Amino acid sequence: MSEMARIEAEQRGTLSFLRVRGEIDISNDEQVLKTMEAAIPNDTTRIVVDLTETTYLDSAGLALLLRLAERLQNRRQRMSLVVPTGSPVRSVLELTGLPRWISMYDGLDDSLAEGEA
Amino acid sequence: LVERNVTPLWPPTGIAVAAFLIWGRFVWPGVALAALAVNLPISTNFLAAAATAVGNTLAPLVAATLLARVGFHRQMDRLRDAMAIVFLGALASMLISASVGAWTLVLSGSIPARMFPAAWAVWWTGDAMGVLVVTPVLLTLWRPRSGGSTSRRLEAIALFVLLTVLSLWVMNTRLQLMFLVVPFLGWAAWRFQQRGAAPAALLVAGIASWSAAHGMGTFRTGTLFEKMVTLQAFNATVAFSSSVFAALVSERARDREALETSAAELEARVQRRTSELSAANEQLHRDIVERIETSRKLRQQETALAEAQQVGQIGSWEWLIPENRVVWSDEMYRIHGYRPQEFPLTFERAVELVVEEDLARIRTNMEVALGSGRDMDLPSIEYRIVRPDGEERRLLGVARLRVGADGAPVRMVGTVQDVTEERKAEREHRIAETLQRSFLPDRLPEIPGVALAARYVPASSDMEVGGDWYDVIPLPSGQIGLAIGDVAGHGLRAASTMGQLRMALRAYAFEEGSPTRVVARVRHLVRQSPAPEMATLIYLLYDPESGIIRFANAGHPPPLIVSEAAGAAYLEGALSPPLGTLADPGGIIEVTRELPFGSTLLLYTDGLVEHRGSSIRDGLDRLKAMAAQAPKDPESLCDHLLSSMVGDQGADDIALLVVKPEPLAGAPLRLLLPAEPSVLAPLRQTVRRWLREIGAPPGVANEILVACGEACANVIQHAYGGREGVLDVELSVLDGTVEVIVRDEGSWRPSVGTDRGRGQQLMGGFMDTVSVETNRHGSSVRMRRRVGSGAHR
């Protein structure tokens, strides 16, 4: 696992499911963004980004998520995050108030339930 | 016969002559007395006797004197001796006594004056006969007899008896047979020389005289004068003949003896000369053999020299300066691309193939030497020639100048070695070595918490450059890739193959997460090459944070783990065939182990464990034993293993890589890194470990990590404006509070935009205090965070 971050994409109907493994910093943020964008088809209406296995994320990662969310917003696509309590990145997201712009759930199930709601 | 005063044979005169000859002239008084005594009774008076005695003394004295003057030999062994006694001793000298005596007879009145001639003649012949007949007998008998053999004595006795009988008979017969004694005289002279001839003559003469005096036989008839003449003639003949004949025989015998002696001498000399000659001949033969042997050896040496020259591609030459003649050895011709001794040479011809600029250097050297006026060695020179077929060769020449007594150059000798191949090989070797060195890491990366040491030892043989290599690759994930490999063969090809493998592995290491995949891709690459080299390889992925190692092994000797608890153990397994041999065996061949603190990982190439005369198994056992006892510090371990396992005589090259996890705990952590994004991941890896080791709770540790990461990212993105720079990170803990200081040497620019703003937000939010200090040397961000009582110190 030499790449810092790996993106695993899964399509479930109109739902795009992206799992981000590894770390995101200034060395790979743009690459990760491109990869994620490329992994999201246009006909998808909902995108769930799972950060459960993301071990490091700093301001560059935050900026990435915000930019992605903004672009998806323009495409009328809605993005949400899954960040379990106790995840290393959770405190970063909370401290910077990201959940104000991007909905954040503890788990995948919560995220999916919210979407259906 | 003449009045009894003169006799036909007067022995006393002969006796006197003999006496003078034997004892010398000083015996004359005795002779005179004896003559007087003999003459007194037969002379008319004393005066007459005295006069006669004077004559009889004077005549022998004169005879002896004359004989002495002519070098008379008493043994009468020469013809001249016989002649001398006849003519000087007898006939000449006795004129004196005859004259004196005859005159005395006339004057004393013993005979009438008319009788004088007859008396004189008888006297003369008598005295002469006395000398002729008696003197030789006395002279020869005087000498002590040499002991003749019995047969010779018998012969002598027989001879004399026969001669006596015969003489008596011939004298007393009427027949004129006196000549019959001649053969007997000859016999005596022939067989006994003077010793026989003189007595025989005396005997015959005595008998003849006696017969004549008594008028017997032959002398019965005739007048006194006739008888006298006959007798004297006979006696003279007998005496003369026997004496001369004997002398002749003696002389002949002596000549023969001398001849024999000289012949013997000659023969001795010839023999001596012959033996000298044969000795000389032998010496000559030895010399020739020796010379042949020497020349054979010389030829052998020449052959050996020629062979040696050919093998060593060394030619020799000689320049005879006064006549400008150059002599080349066969190999010189070959080096220059000619057939041996193809043509004679001058200096100009000898250097015509030399490249112009090199020839100028050669000429300069030679001019200096030739002008020096003394013997000297020229500096060795390397130069190029272009052979007639256009091939360029590099030659190394040395030369020596010899000058004459006057300092004028006489000759120059030298050797030339074809060093073309050598230079080519040297060049290749240099390139290969440079390549090899360039492919090995200049220095190992500094990874906090991981002690690394590595060695590369070239093979002891100068010309061989091996294909051993190693690499340490800090990966973005914070893991460390460790590689060690060995390309079969030596030299340029092996070195370049090794370089390719290393680069490929580096690339794959960044792309692939699994050692098996990395090795599989390298294997694939090797198989793609037109001429696959065989190579062994271990790729090992080490995660310093967890201490987990994963590795795959393509035919390489197994890594060794030395741990304090369990001793030394090889990391067996995960083995696939060497690269370049078989297709990818497929499947995941990978082993995962833990490398705990206090243990050491050792990667090496076969040069360390393979030794002539012992199996690789023995080498592995030995390495295990050595490593278990060796010092644990990686650098010392390397040195210890190389010296104890290899010594000075490593036939193969050796690569050695030692990895040892070290605790970071407690001590301040200082990292100096290039200010670029790729360092961030490994940096985080180290900081995480450090924080864990100081006992920071995971949540707190993560927040400190993010704050630190933000400060570092800020430096990387803004401090140097795109130029290279240093990122200086320091972490320390004091009284439960962690202090993080991030420094740069650039110009701090306040961040603009939301991203940076968020970064400062994170730093301020996660840390208890954040302060920024900026001066003309750069900026530093100092942050503190209390980690609680659980933290060390």
Side-chain angles (χ1 to χ4, degrees):
Chain A
M1 197 81 67
S2 65
E3 285 172 314
M4 271 173 61
R6 176 173 291 194
I7 312 302
E8 293 169 358
E10 197 180 331
Q11 198 67 28
R12 296 181 188 173
T14 57
L15 178 73
S16 272
F17 187 78
L18 299 178
R19 183 179 287 126
V20 179
R21 297 177 187 273
E23 306 178 316
I24 299 169
D25 63 18
I26 57 168
S27 68
N28 67 347
D29 53 351
E30 285 181 22
Q31 184 63 42
V32 170
L33 177 60
K34 272 184 200 158
T35 309
M36 290 174 82
E37 278 189 305
I40 301 167
N42 281 336
D43 56 353
T44 300
T45 55
R46 282 201 57 201
I47 296 101
V48 175
V49 176
D50 183 0
L51 299 179
T52 309
E53 292 185 53
T54 303
T55 51
Y56 181 85
L57 188 139
D58 61 9
S59 59
L62 286 172
L64 175 152
L65 293 174
L66 285 167
R67 263 203 308 267
L68 180 63
E70 193 181 348
R71 286 177 197 174
L72 293 175
Q73 187 80 45
N74 296 340
R75 280 154 56 173
R76 304 282 177 238
Q77 294 172 315
R78 197 154 61 90
M79 183 179 109
S80 58
L81 299 173
V82 174
V83 185
T85 313
S87 150
V89 302
R90 188 161 177 122
S91 58
V92 173
L93 299 177
E94 284 173 347
L95 183 68
T96 51
L98 196 80
R100 278 180 280 167
W101 295 287
I102 307 171
S103 48
M104 188 169 82
Y105 303 95
D106 280 352
L108 190 60
D109 293 343
D110 300 337
S111 158
L112 295 176
E114 188 268 344
E116 280 157 12
Chain B
L1 289 176
V2 181
E3 299 295 311
R4 301 241 164 249
N5 284 340
V6 286
T7 73
L9 195 152
W10 184 243
T13 310
I15 292 166
V17 170
F20 280 127
L21 286 173
I22 290 167
W23 291 303
R25 277 161 284 177
F26 61 89
V27 297
W28 65 267
V31 171
L33 268 176
L36 187 62
V38 169
N39 279 294
L40 266 179
I42 57 171
S43 296
T44 49
N45 56 40
F46 179 80
L47 194 60
T52 308
V54 168
N56 283 3
T57 304
L58 199 58
L61 192 58
V62 169
T65 304
L66 286 174
L67 287 174
R69 288 287 289 271
V70 299
F72 176 75
H73 279 190
R74 272 161 31 199
Q75 57 270 42
M76 299 204 317
D77 52 357
R78 298 175 303 177
L79 181 58
R80 55 185 292 199
D81 298 326
M83 290 302 185
I85 202 160
V86 168
F87 292 101
L88 294 174
L91 301 179
S93 303
M94 294 313 133
L95 292 171
I96 298 166
S97 59
S99 301
V100 170
W103 278 111
T104 306
L105 284 177
V106 172
L107 291 176
S108 66
S110 296
I111 57 166
R114 58 170 176 88
M115 287 289 283
F116 174 80
W120 182 89
V122 173
W123 198 296
W124 180 59
T125 54
D127 275 4
M129 289 317 296
V131 170
L132 276 182
V133 175
V134 177
T135 304
V137 177
L138 292 175
L139 287 178
T140 55
L141 289 183
W142 183 253
R143 286 168 58 211
R145 283 194 69 88
S146 56
S149 64
T150 313
S151 62
R152 268 184 80 79
R153 282 182 195 167
L154 287 174
E155 185 186 349
I157 291 166
L159 170 62
F160 277 90
V161 169
L162 283 173
L163 187 57
T164 309
V165 171
L166 183 69
S167 298
L168 288 173
W169 182 68
V170 295
M171 296 305 164
N172 291 296
T173 179
R174 288 169 184 265
L175 303 171
Q176 299 292 330
L177 291 174
M178 285 159 69
F179 54 84
L180 281 177
V181 302
V182 171
F184 287 87
L185 291 174
W187 177 9
W190 179 257
R191 295 290 296 165
F192 304 98
Q193 286 97 55
Q194 294 297 358
R195 218 176 260 276
L202 176 62
L203 182 68
V204 172
I207 291 171
S209 299
W210 183 78
S211 300
H214 292 85
M216 294 160 68
T218 308
F219 302 101
R220 189 170 297 165
T221 56
T223 65
L224 176 64
F225 184 73
E226 282 170 359
K227 284 190 255 181
M228 197 64 201
V229 168
T230 305
L231 177 62
Q232 293 301 45
F234 176 74
N235 282 354
T237 304
V238 166
F240 180 80
S241 301
S242 61
S243 181
V244 167
F245 191 30
L248 269 176
V249 170
S250 281
E251 197 170 67
R252 183 76 61 82
R254 205 181 53 248
D255 283 353
R256 199 182 64 226
E257 208 170 291
L259 197 65
E260 278 171 0
T261 307
S262 70
E265 212 169 274
L266 187 66
E267 193 177 318
R269 277 170 58 191
V270 166
Q271 271 178 0
R272 208 165 52 236
R273 189 78 192 121
T274 307
S275 76
E276 278 172 15
L277 268 177
S278 89
N281 201 39
E282 211 166 291
Q283 181 63 40
L284 190 66
H285 183 70
R286 274 201 303 275
D287 286 354
I288 289 169
V289 167
E290 208 166 282
R291 200 161 303 168
I292 288 170
E293 180 67 12
T294 307
S295 95
R296 192 180 61 79
K297 278 183 187 161
L298 201 61
R299 265 202 313 281
Q300 254 177 8
Q301 283 174 355
E302 273 171 9
T303 311
L305 182 64
E307 274 177 15
Q309 289 200 352
Q310 203 162 352
V311 170
Q313 288 188 303
I314 298 174
S316 57
W317 55 267
E318 181 174 15
W319 178 27
L320 305 165
I321 298 167
E323 53 203 283
N324 188 18
R325 193 159 67 84
V326 174
V327 181
W328 274 5
S329 71
D330 289 354
E331 190 57 22
M332 273 297 278
Y333 282 92
R334 283 194 207 100
I335 287 171
H336 285 76
Y338 299 124
R339 284 195 311 281
Q341 312 300 332
E342 194 173 330
F343 46 80
L345 291 159
T346 60
F347 177 79
E348 288 69 27
R349 186 79 207 266
V351 298
E352 70 180 359
L353 298 184
V354 178
V355 171
E356 206 170 314
E357 54 179 289
D358 293 346
L359 181 57
R361 289 189 297 133
I362 290 174
R363 282 191 191 281
T364 307
N365 281 359
M366 287 200 164
E367 274 159 23
V368 169
L370 292 172
S372 71
R374 58 187 175 82
D375 289 352
M376 67 174 292
D377 289 346
L378 277 69
S380 69
I381 188 166
E382 193 171 320
Y383 61 96
R384 291 158 296 167
I385 57 164
V386 179
R387 285 181 177 174
D389 63 6
E391 188 182 349
E392 187 181 286
R393 307 294 292 181
R394 297 194 77 91
L395 308 182
L396 180 67
V398 293
R400 172 171 290 183
L401 174 70
R402 288 271 174 261
V403 301
D406 57 353
V410 174
R411 63 194 195 104
M412 202 180 273
V413 294
T415 62
V416 166
Q417 185 179 10
D418 187 336
V419 292
T420 314
E421 307 302 332
E422 216 173 307
R423 294 290 175 269
K424 207 170 129 191
E426 277 171 13
R427 194 163 150 269
E428 237 172 59
H429 179 72
R430 264 202 312 279
I431 293 171
E433 206 173 51
T434 308
L435 209 56
Q436 165 100 2
R437 294 276 176 203
S438 74
F439 289 153
L440 294 174
D442 282 343
R443 57 186 181 85
L444 296 171
E446 283 180 27
I447 301 169
V450 181
L452 291 167
R455 295 284 185 278
Y456 176 75
V457 183
S460 56
S461 162
D462 284 348
M463 295 311 288
E464 299 293 350
V465 173
D468 286 8
W469 63 281
Y470 61 87
D471 203 359
V472 177
I473 313 157
L475 293 166
S477 62
Q479 290 176 311
I480 302 166
L482 301 164
I484 194 155
D486 181 1
V487 177
H490 295 277
L492 203 46
R493 204 173 142 83
S496 70
T497 302
M498 171 219 133
Q500 288 168 7
L501 288 187
R502 179 168 174 249
M503 286 305 136
L505 183 127
R506 237 172 202 267
Y508 298 146
F510 276 90
E511 287 179 19
E512 299 287 349
S514 140
T516 308
R517 283 292 303 149
V518 171
V519 170
R521 289 189 71 175
V522 174
R523 182 189 300 280
H524 185 69
L525 180 84
V526 170
R527 278 179 58 77
Q528 295 300 305
S529 92
E533 303 270 354
M534 198 183 94
T536 62
L537 170 68
I538 285 180
Y539 181 61
L540 194 146
L541 200 58
Y542 168 53
D543 181 359
E545 210 195 323
S546 62
I548 296 294
I549 49 177
R550 292 190 292 155
F551 72 95
N553 184 349
H556 202 83
L560 184 69
I561 288 184
V562 188
S563 69
E564 278 162 9
Y570 283 107
L571 282 180
E572 308 278 4
L575 191 64
S576 56
L579 310 178
T581 52
L582 296 169
D584 191 345
I588 305 290
I589 307 176
E590 192 171 299
V591 163
T592 302
R593 290 279 173 82
E594 197 183 345
L595 186 67
F597 285 124
S599 54
T600 306
L601 174 68
L602 178 66
L603 299 169
Y604 55 90
T605 54
D606 56 5
L608 187 68
V609 289
E610 261 186 343
H611 296 288
R612 212 165 292 150
S614 64
S615 72
I616 190 161
R617 197 66 248 177
D618 291 345
L620 289 171
D621 290 346
R622 198 147 156 263
L623 175 62
K624 199 166 137 179
M626 288 289 175
Q629 306 162 5
K632 297 295 178 273
D633 164 59
E635 296 288 347
S636 308
L637 177 62
C638 285
D639 295 337
H640 179 82
L641 290 179
L642 285 176
S643 62
S644 61
M645 293 292 294
V646 188
D648 298 331
Q649 289 298 312
D652 200 358
D653 55 344
I654 297 167
L656 191 57
L657 181 58
V658 172
V659 183
K660 189 173 194 293
E662 288 185 322
L664 298 169
L669 180 67
R670 178 90 187 264
L671 300 167
L672 287 167
L673 301 165
E676 50 191 57
S678 65
V679 303
L680 288 171
L683 172 68
R684 284 196 297 274
Q685 197 80 313
T686 306
V687 172
R688 265 193 201 107
R689 227 182 97 191
W690 186 85
L691 288 168
R692 191 176 68 233
E693 286 174 22
I694 64 160
V700 177
N702 192 56
E703 290 173 6
I704 294 172
L705 185 70
V706 171
C708 177
E710 287 296 339
C712 290
N714 201 36
V715 169
I716 290 166
Q717 285 186 310
H718 302 293
Y720 296 103
R723 298 186 313 276
E724 286 182 9
V726 176
L727 171 64
D728 179 353
V729 182
E730 191 178 333
L731 281 86
S732 58
V733 58
L734 185 66
D735 295 332
T737 297
V738 171
E739 184 177 64
V740 179
I741 304 170
V742 177
R743 297 186 187 87
D744 65 68
E745 293 166 359
S747 49
W748 177 264
R749 273 168 268 165
S751 58
V752 285
T754 48
D755 288 0
R756 282 300 104 204
R758 261 185 226 105
Q760 283 177 26
Q761 190 184 358
L762 287 171
M763 284 154 65
F766 287 153
M767 304 303 280
D768 298 335
T769 62
V770 177
S771 63
V772 179
E773 203 177 295
T774 302
N775 59 32
R776 57 193 176 86
H777 298 299
S779 308
S780 65
V781 177
R782 190 183 301 260
M783 305 180 285
R784 288 207 179 92
R785 170 77 190 265
R786 181 154 183 84
V787 294
S789 58
H792 291 281
R793 277 179 290 273

